[in-house]
Amino acid sequence: MTKQRKVILEELHKVTSHPTADMVYEMVRKRLPHISLGTVYRNLEDLADQGEIRKLSIDGTRMRFDGNPEEHTHIRCIVCGRVDDIHFAPTVSMQDSISDNGYKILGHKLEFYGKCSECRKKDEIMKAKEKKRKSKD
Amino acid sequence: MTKQRKVILEELHKVTSHPTADMVYEMVRKRLPHISLGTVYRNLEDLADQGEIRKLSIDGTRMRFDGNPEEHTHIRCIVCGRVDDIHFAPTVSMQDSISDNGYKILGHKLEFYGKCSECRKKDEIMKAKEKKRKSKD
DNA sequence: ATATTAAATAATAATGATTACTATTACTGA
DNA sequence: TCAGTAATAGTAATCATTATTATTTAATAT
Ligand SMILES: [Mn+2]
Ligand SMILES: [Mn+2]
Ligand SMILES: [Zn+2]
Ligand SMILES: [Zn+2]
């Protein structure tokens, strides 16, 4: 935990705005004027890998970062692009135009992630090989 | 509807793989060897604006395109990155590891989109101005 | 404390996806 | 046939991200 990484994490915890890497860079720069953008990118990546933060792909081309690593739901404005957290228990029909947070909800996006059958097969093969290798010695 | 746009749309309807712009370019090139990548990008954008196709931001940095403009749910493999459609009525608890399509589901992503209160306020102001302008003449 | 080693950084260059530009080509309607 | 318009191919530019490298920092052993 370098001081750069510490400050990046702290700044990300301060906001609920789901900033881009560039925005995080600007935030952190106020406290560490000599930090480089590459360092911000690398630490954001590392923190996301460790599950300390979350990397969001909800915008178009740029990633956004979330200091809250818990799985939760987001709401994005199609006009200005801002992203907010929304309290939502995904149980009943989430159709049509409900209002929450002052938003007029126009639709939703739901995406699962996981491992497909092909990759799971490959996993099994790898595991089998691992077993074989271990039993050899 | 130029022949380029027609072929792009046709090729997109042929597959269920949610290809990137680059992949669409390669597909279309087999039929129109002189088409340029810029034309593919522009037409994909236009088709998406018209609601004929859908532009998906589920990957990291690159966009994917879907010949099916209906709102439906996707499943992505965290290992190989493939994206498939999934038949899912978002009604009950979608927690934990359910299996569908041979996938091992590890989590999901749910995102609403809409208009925030600020932008709706701006809309109201614009509408009011429009009204005023019309009543003037 | 000092030398040694490894890890992380700042600065910069390179890459990859997307968008912008421009001259040329294809269409449309007198 | 002949403008006038819209779309295209080809290319350059931009923007986000990643890779590279020399330098700095931190940790460890002497
Ligand atoms: Mn969030
Ligand atoms: Mn689909
Ligand atoms: Zn807004
Ligand atoms: Zn897979």
Side-chain angles (χ1 to χ4, degrees):
Chain A
M1 180 63 69
T2 64
K3 86 170 157 302
Q4 286 88 343
R5 170 170 303 196
K6 189 165 163 288
V7 172
I8 288 168
L9 190 53
E10 282 170 5
E11 290 299 315
L12 211 44
H13 281 154
K14 276 188 194 165
V15 297
T16 58
S17 55
H18 310 87
T20 61
D22 203 67
M23 292 166 183
V24 174
Y25 177 53
E26 290 306 327
M27 288 153 63
V28 171
R29 234 140 78 94
K30 301 222 168 79
R31 291 172 62 188
L32 302 174
H34 296 298
I35 197 169
S36 81
L37 182 56
T39 298
V40 172
Y41 268 105
R42 181 169 30 72
N43 279 297
L44 286 172
E45 194 65 33
D46 293 350
L47 288 166
D49 286 347
Q50 294 167 227
E52 300 230 48
I53 66 172
R54 231 171 225 267
K55 202 175 167 184
L56 308 177
S57 168
I58 56 192
D59 244 341
T61 33
R62 61 220 291 186
M63 289 292 180
R64 308 189 71 143
F65 297 88
D66 194 335
N68 174 12
E70 300 301 311
E71 186 157 285
H72 58 282
T73 303
H74 292 116
I75 182 161
R76 173 176 52 90
C77 176
I78 55 170
V79 181
C80 66
R82 67 178 284 172
V83 175
D84 289 305
D85 292 338
I86 188 174
H87 181 263
F88 184 84
T91 43
V92 280
S93 72
M94 40 193 166
Q95 310 297 59
D96 307 332
S97 304
I98 314 142
S99 173
D100 192 315
N101 266 20
Y103 273 88
K104 169 78 169 181
I105 298 181
L106 300 175
H108 66 265
K109 198 168 96 176
L110 172 64
E111 182 197 335
F112 288 97
Y113 55 88
K115 255 188 211 183
C116 72
S117 52
E118 278 172 33
C119 291
R120 282 163 68 197
K121 268 179 211 155
K122 280 179 195 163
D123 273 6
E124 295 301 39
I125 292 165
M126 286 303 290
K127 270 184 196 163
K129 276 188 185 167
E130 198 70 31
K131 216 175 184 177
K132 219 174 189 175
R133 200 181 55 71
K134 276 199 175 171
S135 67
K136 231 177 222 172
D137 47 33
Chain B
M1 179 64 68
T2 65
K3 85 171 158 299
Q4 285 89 345
R5 168 169 304 194
K6 190 166 164 286
V7 171
I8 288 168
L9 189 54
E10 281 172 4
E11 290 301 312
L12 211 44
H13 281 154
K14 276 189 195 164
V15 297
T16 58
S17 55
H18 310 87
T20 61
D22 204 66
M23 292 166 183
V24 174
Y25 177 53
E26 291 305 328
M27 288 153 62
V28 170
R29 234 140 77 94
K30 301 223 168 80
R31 290 173 61 188
L32 301 175
H34 295 300
I35 198 169
S36 80
L37 182 56
T39 298
V40 172
Y41 269 104
R42 182 169 28 73
N43 279 297
L44 286 172
E45 194 66 34
D46 292 351
L47 287 166
D49 286 348
Q50 295 167 228
E52 298 230 48
I53 66 173
R54 231 171 222 267
K55 202 175 167 183
L56 308 177
S57 169
I58 56 192
D59 244 341
T61 33
R62 60 219 292 189
M63 288 294 179
R64 308 191 69 145
F65 297 87
D66 194 333
N68 176 11
E70 299 300 311
E71 187 157 283
H72 59 281
T73 303
H74 291 117
I75 183 161
R76 174 175 52 89
C77 176
I78 57 169
V79 181
C80 66
R82 68 177 284 173
V83 175
D84 289 304
D85 292 337
I86 189 174
H87 180 263
F88 184 83
T91 43
V92 281
S93 72
M94 42 194 166
Q95 310 298 58
D96 306 333
S97 304
I98 315 141
S99 176
D100 191 316
N101 266 21
Y103 274 88
K104 170 77 168 182
I105 298 180
L106 300 174
H108 64 267
K109 198 167 97 177
L110 174 62
E111 184 197 334
F112 289 96
Y113 55 89
K115 255 187 210 184
C116 74
S117 52
E118 278 172 33
C119 290
R120 283 162 68 196
K121 267 178 209 153
K122 280 179 195 164
D123 274 5
E124 297 299 63
I125 293 167
M126 286 303 291
K127 270 183 197 167
K129 275 187 185 169
E130 198 69 32
K131 217 174 184 177
K132 221 175 189 176
R133 200 181 53 72
K134 277 200 176 173
S135 67
K136 234 177 220 174
D137 49 32

